[in-house]
Amino acid sequence: MKIAVVGTGYVGLVTGTCFSELGNHVTCVDIDEKKINKLKSGEIPIYEPGLDVLFDRNVKANRLEFTTDLEQGVSGAKVIFLALPTPPGEDGSADLKYVVKVADDLGSLLKDYAVIVDKSTVPVGTAEKVRARIAKNAKVDFDVVSNPEFLREGVAVEDFMKPDRVVVGTSSLKATSIMDALYAPLVRQGNPIIFMDERSAELTKYAANSFLATKITFMNEIANMCELLGANVDDVRRGVGTDSRIGKRFLFAGIGYGGSCFPKDVQALAKSAQEVAYEFKILNSVMEINQKQKTKLVSKIKQHFNNQLSDKTIAIWGLAFKPYTDDIREAPSLYNIEELLKEGAKVKAHDPEAMENVRQIMGDKIELFEDQYETLEGADALLIVTEWPVFRQPEFDIMETKMKNKVIFDGRNLYKVEQLKSLGFTYYSIGRNEIHV
Ligand SMILES: NC(=O)c1ccc[n+]([C@@H]2O[C@H](COP(=O)([O-])OP(=O)(O)OC[C@H]3O[C@@H](n4cnc5c(N)ncnc54)[C@H](O)[C@@H]3O)[C@@H](O)[C@H]2O)c1
């Protein structure tokens, strides 16, 4: 099948590459010339594990192509995916300007029936809006389908190739059969393609992300209670998560969720609720709590150093919003860095993949190091923000020789409290006892 993917970011590039791996001919379109030139020269502009192998194979086989020209990209395509940004607008609602712009342009470019698939996360009613915008200029029949994407950055290829489920919102029988055929190779193990109407599909994506953000936030509140009551959140998590009604995942306490999806999707759903005069109280609390949680360790750092950070150097391990990605959108690291700089602290940081992206927005406001241990040279304390596996079993003896003070603020509970106690570190984590040496 000939497929076009409009928007070649994290979702678009993974979608396009994976569909080409299944034998389809895919053209990825983007307005970012630099990005398209990189892709044409064989360079992947994002870090996503496993993507390179599939990318190389399908580019070589001429099944995966790139262009900045929308007309060329959609020419002959039976399915046209829209994987465009839907960032928060000023009032918190999803800004549809990118989606609407492409819908406006698409109508006159359609030469034959095509299914236009909304893969972006969009508010309820967007499929109808997109259909109306395309219809203004279209001379042929077409369908607009909602097909929200559930992949997680860091494991995006695996998620795409083996989805828990595929959600497709459409009321067209023709589009149903095309989408069914397209996704059939990905659901051979029996995971469902769930067909529903467009509005329900659009809401499903927001409901899923908001639920997960709420689950994380609930556990962060339990962690805060643990600190006040002298309980250990890791034990509580195990005790709670083994209940099959609750499940083990998304129960790890930490310094809040970030990324390009959860924050904006929770905000957008709350805004959608407001627009229909419904107050979604849980979501308002989730946003408020998460905002505080992100920098909760900065308060502890300040307290530890008697509110005097202007002569202190704080090392940071982890900048990406989660491991195995270079994405720093809404990353807790950025909020922590801003707060520390505001207090006059010097910040040195390391991340296995995200340093270039941070350099682009922070410039020389902080120092970045390729080596995680070099970051610690002369540091008064270490703040751990992202749970990259490489930070889980560090060389504590090297850390000890590099750091000015043996003080760790761990936002992801990477170490056992007892272990750090026996190594003689002062250790602050989330929802567990503090160790003061
Ligand atoms: N990143 C994720 O993990 C994830 C997961 C599920 C769903 N989503 C949703 O998918 C959508 C895309 O997210 P993303 O992370 O891939 O965004 P992204 O910013 O990485 O990529 C979007 C791309 O669209 C391009 N673009 C903008 N206007 C264009 C136009 N007129 N024509 C062609 N290209 C254009 C941009 O240049 C960019 O490369 C969002 O709605 C997001 O909420 C993202």
Side-chain angles (χ1 to χ4, degrees):
M1 199 184 298
K2 189 157 183 335
I3 295 171
V5 180
V6 187
T8 311
Y10 285 88
V11 168
L13 184 58
V14 171
T15 301
T17 306
C18 289
F19 276 128
S20 69
E21 175 74 3
L22 298 173
N24 298 291
H25 184 276
V26 180
T27 306
C28 292
V29 185
D30 206 287
I31 43 164
D32 184 338
E33 268 184 46
K34 251 167 75 187
K35 189 179 269 191
I36 290 298
N37 287 339
K38 263 191 184 172
L39 287 160
K40 278 182 168 171
S41 66
E43 200 186 324
I44 301 180
I46 53 167
Y47 173 72
E48 190 55 54
L51 188 60
D52 50 351
V53 179
L54 272 59
F55 176 89
D56 290 344
R57 180 163 45 232
N58 290 290
V59 166
K60 260 190 212 136
N62 295 322
R63 273 192 302 265
L64 182 58
E65 293 182 313
F66 303 94
T67 180
T68 51
D69 183 345
L70 184 64
E71 182 168 8
Q72 186 193 327
V74 302
S75 161
K78 196 167 182 183
V79 178
I80 302 169
F81 283 97
L82 307 184
L84 295 156
T86 48
E90 263 171 36
D91 62 354
S93 63
D95 186 347
L96 290 178
K97 68 169 180 263
Y98 300 96
V99 174
V100 166
K101 163 85 177 74
V102 173
D104 282 342
D105 294 345
L106 261 182
S108 61
L109 302 178
L110 297 179
K111 305 284 179 250
D112 244 322
Y113 172 85
V115 184
I116 291 88
V117 185
D118 227 327
K119 230 187 200 327
S120 300
T121 303
V122 290
V124 171
T126 303
E128 289 147 49
K129 243 183 224 164
V130 168
R131 184 177 299 124
R133 304 297 282 239
I134 296 175
K136 269 196 202 162
N137 304 315
K139 303 216 163 39
V140 295
D141 188 24
F142 67 93
D143 279 307
V144 175
V145 162
S146 164
N147 169 219
E149 181 50 58
F150 296 97
L151 63 77
R152 295 162 297 165
E153 285 174 24
V155 277
V157 172
E158 202 185 317
D159 278 352
F160 196 90
M161 290 306 224
K162 292 180 187 163
D164 285 344
R165 80 309 205 180
V166 175
V167 169
V168 177
T170 179
S171 35
S172 149
L173 285 177
K174 197 168 174 184
T176 299
S177 104
I178 291 173
M179 295 302 285
D180 199 35
L182 184 64
Y183 275 108
L186 303 182
V187 292
R188 292 176 58 248
Q189 288 176 338
N191 291 347
I193 304 178
I194 307 172
F195 286 96
M196 57 183 79
D197 65 79
E198 295 85 340
R199 287 182 162 249
S200 305
E202 288 164 341
L203 188 55
T204 299
K205 173 66 189 178
Y206 283 109
N209 273 1
S210 298
F211 184 82
L212 292 171
T214 304
K215 199 172 175 188
I216 293 171
T217 304
F218 180 83
M219 222 40 209
N220 284 339
E221 291 250 82
I222 293 290
N224 294 340
M225 287 291 288
C226 285
E227 287 173 23
L228 296 168
L229 298 173
N232 181 327
V233 77
D234 285 342
D235 292 334
V236 177
R237 171 177 54 77
R238 277 196 296 272
V240 166
T242 38
D243 184 328
S244 61
R245 293 171 301 175
I246 294 172
K248 297 186 179 68
R249 298 171 71 186
F250 277 80
L251 288 183
F252 287 83
I255 46 173
Y257 61 78
S260 69
C261 291
F262 285 2
K264 86 168 168 60
D265 293 350
V266 171
Q267 204 182 3
L269 184 55
K271 184 69 192 162
S272 288
Q274 226 182 61
E275 280 164 11
V276 287
Y278 183 77
E279 194 190 353
F280 207 142
K281 285 189 183 159
I282 293 180
L283 294 188
N284 293 336
S285 302
V286 165
M287 288 187 283
E288 191 187 325
I289 295 158
N290 193 61
Q291 198 56 30
K292 274 199 207 135
Q293 193 75 10
K294 277 195 270 197
T295 50
K296 105 176 220 135
L297 285 181
V298 175
S299 314
K300 294 205 177 188
I301 294 174
K302 277 166 67 179
Q303 213 177 2
H304 179 89
F305 291 112
N306 298 320
N307 282 323
Q308 184 50 264
L309 295 188
S310 58
D311 56 345
K312 297 289 179 285
T313 299
I314 309 296
I316 294 183
W317 278 1
L319 297 166
F321 86 91
K322 67 175 184 178
Y324 292 112
T325 182
D326 60 350
D327 197 344
I328 54 162
R329 290 178 283 185
E330 285 298 310
S333 66
L334 303 180
Y335 290 87
N336 281 278
I337 291 170
E338 285 298 344
E339 289 284 311
L340 290 168
L341 292 177
K342 217 169 21 177
E343 292 298 323
K346 187 174 163 196
V347 175
K348 304 165 86 180
H350 165 80
D351 186 280
E353 293 295 339
M355 291 201 291
E356 197 39 52
N357 285 338
V358 169
R359 190 172 286 125
Q360 275 174 26
I361 56 169
M362 289 274 167
D364 56 7
K365 284 204 277 185
I366 66 169
E367 273 187 274
L368 295 164
F369 292 85
E370 287 301 326
D371 182 292
Q372 73 190 68
Y373 297 104
E374 249 181 74
T375 317
L376 302 177
E377 198 76 62
D380 291 279
L382 166 64
L383 169 62
I384 298 173
V385 178
T386 315
E387 64 276 33
W388 281 95
V390 71
F391 303 147
R392 284 187 188 275
Q393 291 178 333
E395 307 276 3
F396 285 107
D397 46 348
I398 299 181
M399 293 171 73
E400 193 174 331
T401 59
K402 301 268 184 197
M403 294 177 75
K404 202 192 268 174
N405 306 309
K406 288 169 68 177
V407 185
I408 299 177
F409 295 85
D410 180 357
R412 301 296 171 191
N413 287 2
L414 297 191
Y415 314 122
K416 291 214 161 76
V417 174
E418 287 310 310
Q419 178 195 13
L420 278 256
K421 189 178 182 179
S422 69
L423 289 169
F425 278 85
T426 292
Y427 184 52
Y428 297 82
S429 53
I430 305 292
R432 308 186 300 179
N433 283 341
E434 292 173 4
I435 302 297
H436 293 272
V437 176

